[in-house]
Amino acid sequence: MRTSRLQTAATPLTSGTSRTSRRTLLGAGVALAGTGLLGACSSDDDGGSQDGGAKGQADAKPATDGEWIEPDSKEVRAAEAKRAAGDTEKVSLTATRSKLDLGDGVTVSTWAYDEELPGKEVRVTAGNTLELKLANNLPEATSVHWHGLALRNDMDGVPGLTQRDIKPGADFTYRFRLAHPGTYWFHPHSGVQQDRGLYAPLVIEDPKEPLKYDEEWVVVLDDWVDGVEGSTPDAVLKELAKGMSHGGGHGGGHGAHSMGGRNEPKPKESGPSRMMMGATSKHLGGDAGDVAYPHYLVNGRTAKEPRTFKAKPGDRVRIRLVNAGGDTAFRVALGGHRMTVTHTDGFPVRHRETEALLLGMGERYDVLVTVKDGVFPLTALAEGKKKTTMAVLRTGGGETPSAKTRPAELDGKLVTAEQLRADSSVRLRSGDPDRTIRFKLTGSMEKYDWSINGRTYDPKERYPISAGERVRLVFVNDTEMWHPMHLHGHTFQLPDGGPRKDTAIVLPGKKLEVDFDADNPGLWMAHCHNVYHSESGMMTVLGYRP
C-alpha cells in the first residue's frame, strides 16, 4: 500500500514567469534588478580565483568578474532538454496565513501551504515533469526551493540568484523534469520562512522500484517556535544576532554564556527569550544548538497527541524520514525494532541495520522495518536538547505509549552518514579532482557572525567551476558548532565510497572532503542548513563559467 498522490490541477503559467518585481534579498541588502539577468555580477575585481580546470586547483577567494552561465542561459535549457520529459504532473499550492492545531490544545498562528502541517505530500514519478503553481497569499514575498533535486537552475528557488521573488498576491509556476527518484522536500529560500510551517515532503517514485514493501510512511520531523507566546522565527533571529558575551561555559560554546542585552525590554510580539544554553551532544561534537524550541513535532503533532500509523504484524514498512527543522538534529528510533537503512538524501546505499539514526537539518533517510504485533513509539530525540517527540506504530491492541517514552533503541547502535557506503549503481567513478575548493566555516555564537572563508553571503561572489570537472569541496569547520552543509543542484559523495548526499554534517574542529561531478550548469548555492546560520551569512555560490 502506497501513500496517495496529490493531484490538484493547476492553471499553468509560462515556465519561469512571475508577477513580481523587486525586493531586498535575504536581509543581505542586495537589491534585485527588475530587468536583466538575475545573476548579474559586479565588474569590481575582488582578486578572485582563476578560471579553468587545473588539476587540484584550490580557490581561496570567490570571483566577482568574468562571465557566468546564468539561470536563463542556453546551457541551462540544453541541460534540461537532456532529461527525460515524460508526462506532466500538475499541482497547485497556496502559501497563506494559517491557524494550526499541533495537538494537546496547542494552537498557533503561522504560515503554511494550504493550511496544513506539513504541507500535502507531493508524489510524482521520475522521468516525468512536475508543474507546480504556487500562489502567494502571505504578507511578504516568498519562494520555493526544491531541496536535493538536480533540476534546471532557473527553478531552484533562490530569490536574487535564480529567480525573482514571488510577491504578495502573485503566483509563480515551477516547471522542471524529474531526473532522480528519492525522498526530497521543499521549502522557501526567503529569510527564515522555513522555520514557520512552509514545508512539505516531495516523493519521486522509481518506476522500476527495486524494494519490496507493504506499507510506506513519510515522517517529517520539525522543531517549532512560530506563534508560541508571541514568538516568530524573525524575532528569534533578531535575538540571536545580538550575539553572546563570555561568562565561562563548556567547549561547545554556550555553557554559562549570557545573551547580550537579554535583560532589556523585548517587544511584546517577539515573545520570551529563545536562546539555547547548555545543550550538548557527543554525537554533534559538543554544542547541539542555538534555539530552545517550545515544541518538537512529528508530522505536525506533539508527542502528547501523536500521529498514528497502522499496519499488520509482519508487514514490511518503508519509512521515509525528513528533518525539516531549523536548528535541531534528531536521533530517531522505533521502539522494539531494528531498522535497515536503504537510502540517504534520495540515493541508495548498501543496506545497513541499526537501532537509531541521526539526522541533521535537511537530511533524509529511508529505512525498512518488519513490524511486530503491538503498539510502538517512533521516537525522535531533539539531540542534545533533552526533549523527545513521537508518532505511534499500531499493529494490534494496547495502550498508546506515554509522551515521555524513551525506547532503549535510542541509546543503542547509532548509524551516521560516514558509516554508510554508496550502492554500486550510484557510486561516482574513481578519479582525482580537477578542482578543489576549500570552504572554511567561520564565525561564533559570541558575535553570531556565521560565514564561509570569513565572508558573509554576497550573491555577486561566486566560486568558479566548469562543466565536466570533478570538483572536490573541502569543508573545514573552524567553529565550535556543528553545521549541516547543503549543496544545491548536485549530490556529492562522501570519502572512501561513502553515500551520495546533498547535505552532510561537519563537526566542530573537523574537516570533510566531498566530491561531485559538475554536470548541471548555472549558479548554485552552498550553505549551512541551520536556517539561522545561513541567514546570518553562512552561504556562498558556485558558478559555472561558459
Side-chain angles (χ1 to χ4, degrees):
M1 178 179 176
R2 304 290 182 85
T3 311
S4 61
R5 180 176 300 172
L6 175 62
Q7 294 193 12
T8 307
T11 303
L13 296 177
T14 302
S15 176
T17 60
S18 173
R19 296 193 294 272
T20 62
S21 57
R22 188 180 183 98
R23 85 184 270 266
T24 301
L25 169 67
L26 299 177
V30 181
L32 170 63
T35 59
L37 295 178
L38 294 176
C41 61
S42 167
S43 60
D44 296 336
D45 186 355
D46 191 47
S49 313
Q50 294 180 345
D51 189 24
K55 186 173 290 289
Q57 175 181 337
D59 297 319
K61 288 184 178 181
T64 58
D65 59 338
E67 296 183 17
W68 304 95
I69 293 179
E70 302 291 345
D72 57 356
S73 69
K74 66 180 187 300
E75 290 91 345
V76 169
R77 294 192 296 273
E80 176 73 346
K82 292 179 181 178
R83 301 180 180 114
D87 297 331
T88 297
E89 304 190 50
K90 297 183 178 182
V91 177
S92 63
L93 285 181
T94 301
T96 187
R97 300 188 199 203
S98 308
K99 184 164 284 188
L100 301 176
D101 177 10
L102 305 184
D104 194 41
V106 178
T107 302
V108 295
S109 295
T110 185
W111 302 347
Y113 295 129
D114 295 325
E115 301 186 89
E116 296 190 35
L117 187 70
K120 283 183 181 179
E121 171 191 310
V122 174
R123 184 174 286 259
V124 287
T125 302
N128 284 351
T129 295
L130 174 61
E131 185 176 286
L132 185 142
K133 177 183 176 182
L134 178 72
N136 182 12
N137 288 355
L138 301 174
E140 65 181 52
T142 191
S143 62
V144 173
H145 167 58
W146 306 91
H147 185 110
L149 295 193
L151 77 173
R152 56 183 298 159
N153 191 224
D154 56 350
M155 296 290 110
D156 191 48
V158 181
L161 187 71
T162 66
Q163 74 165 87
R164 295 180 176 85
D165 278 310
I166 309 171
K167 296 192 72 69
D171 53 53
F172 183 90
T173 295
Y174 292 90
R175 193 175 194 278
F176 51 88
R177 299 176 182 184
L178 304 161
H180 302 293
T183 303
Y184 303 95
W185 63 301
F186 57 93
H187 59 80
H189 224 289
S190 302
V192 290
Q193 290 181 11
Q194 180 214 311
D195 217 21
R196 297 181 186 260
L198 294 167
Y199 59 84
L202 171 66
V203 175
I204 303 179
E205 292 187 319
D206 188 344
K208 300 179 180 179
E209 178 58 63
L211 296 180
K212 304 296 183 184
Y213 48 92
D214 304 296
E215 297 277 353
E216 179 179 331
W217 305 327
V218 178
V219 175
V220 184
L221 312 171
D222 192 20
D223 41 22
W224 191 271
V225 69
D226 195 33
V228 180
E229 299 178 286
S231 292
T232 66
D234 295 279
V236 171
L237 177 62
K238 185 176 180 180
E239 180 186 17
L240 293 171
K242 295 178 183 177
M244 301 177 74
S245 58
H246 276 289
H250 62 73
H254 288 25
H257 289 117
S258 61
M259 178 68 186
R262 69 180 301 169
N263 295 322
E264 299 174 1
K266 295 170 65 66
K268 183 178 180 180
E269 66 273 12
S270 68
S273 172
R274 298 298 181 187
M275 174 63 66
M276 181 102 250
M277 292 186 288
T280 60
S281 165
K282 65 179 181 180
H283 300 300
L284 297 175
D287 198 329
D290 299 337
V291 183
Y293 287 90
H295 301 292
Y296 297 92
L297 311 177
V298 177
N299 285 6
R301 306 291 284 187
T302 66
K304 292 184 178 179
E305 199 172 332
R307 300 285 186 194
T308 298
F309 301 111
K310 294 182 179 180
K312 299 187 297 294
D315 275 352
R316 199 179 198 207
V317 178
R318 180 178 190 166
I319 306 176
R320 299 177 185 262
L321 295 160
V322 179
N323 184 352
D327 177 72
T328 305
F330 287 98
R331 196 189 327 170
V332 182
L334 178 59
H337 293 76
R338 295 174 70 86
M339 305 178 289
T340 299
V341 182
T342 64
H343 295 72
T344 180
D345 291 1
F347 280 72
V349 297
R350 294 181 192 167
H351 291 191
R352 179 159 184 151
E353 196 174 70
T354 187
E355 292 176 301
L357 278 169
L358 183 68
L359 288 85
M361 295 82 79
E363 288 190 290
R364 293 91 62 211
Y365 284 88
D366 292 19
V367 300
L368 289 176
V369 181
T370 301
V371 298
K372 300 177 181 179
D373 188 5
V375 186
F376 307 94
L378 177 63
T379 301
L381 169 69
E383 183 67 29
K385 298 183 179 183
K386 301 179 181 179
K387 291 186 177 182
T388 60
T389 187
M390 72 172 188
V392 173
L393 160 64
R394 180 175 290 276
T395 64
E399 294 185 359
T400 298
S402 162
K404 296 182 179 179
T405 298
R406 182 176 173 130
E409 287 79 6
L410 270 181
D411 300 307
K413 179 182 178 182
L414 178 71
V415 161
T416 53
E418 67 273 9
Q419 300 172 37
L420 300 172
R421 292 294 173 266
D423 184 83
S424 59
S425 63
V426 297
R427 193 176 303 130
L428 293 184
R429 59 173 175 77
S430 60
D432 295 329
D434 301 300
R435 185 187 300 268
T436 298
I437 301 175
R438 180 182 175 93
F439 286 150
K440 190 175 183 180
L441 311 181
T442 45
S444 69
M445 191 65 200
E446 284 71 25
K447 295 182 180 179
Y448 220 77
D449 54 349
W450 304 111
S451 55
I452 294 177
N453 290 337
R455 310 167 75 91
T456 56
Y457 175 59
D458 182 343
K460 298 187 299 295
E461 297 181 346
R462 297 93 184 256
Y463 289 84
I465 60 177
S466 296
E469 291 182 331
R470 169 66 56 82
V471 180
R472 176 164 295 169
L473 302 180
V474 181
F475 296 106
V476 180
N477 190 349
D478 196 37
T479 78
E480 295 182 326
M481 189 77 182
W482 68 284
H483 301 285
M485 298 305 297
H486 173 51
L487 175 63
H488 287 209
H490 305 76
T491 60
F492 47 70
Q493 184 166 314
L494 270 58
D496 303 320
R500 292 279 299 275
K501 291 181 64 64
D502 54 72
T503 309
I505 292 173
V506 187
L507 296 176
K510 301 296 184 181
K511 177 175 73 173
L512 177 65
E513 297 184 357
V514 300
D515 289 356
F516 72 93
D517 288 331
D519 57 4
N520 196 13
L523 304 173
W524 300 102
M525 295 198 75
H527 64 91
C528 177
H529 221 278
N530 182 313
V531 68
Y532 299 100
H533 293 183
S534 62
E535 184 64 9
S536 298
M538 192 174 274
M539 304 190 289
T540 193
V541 178
L542 297 177
Y544 279 69
R545 295 290 201 188

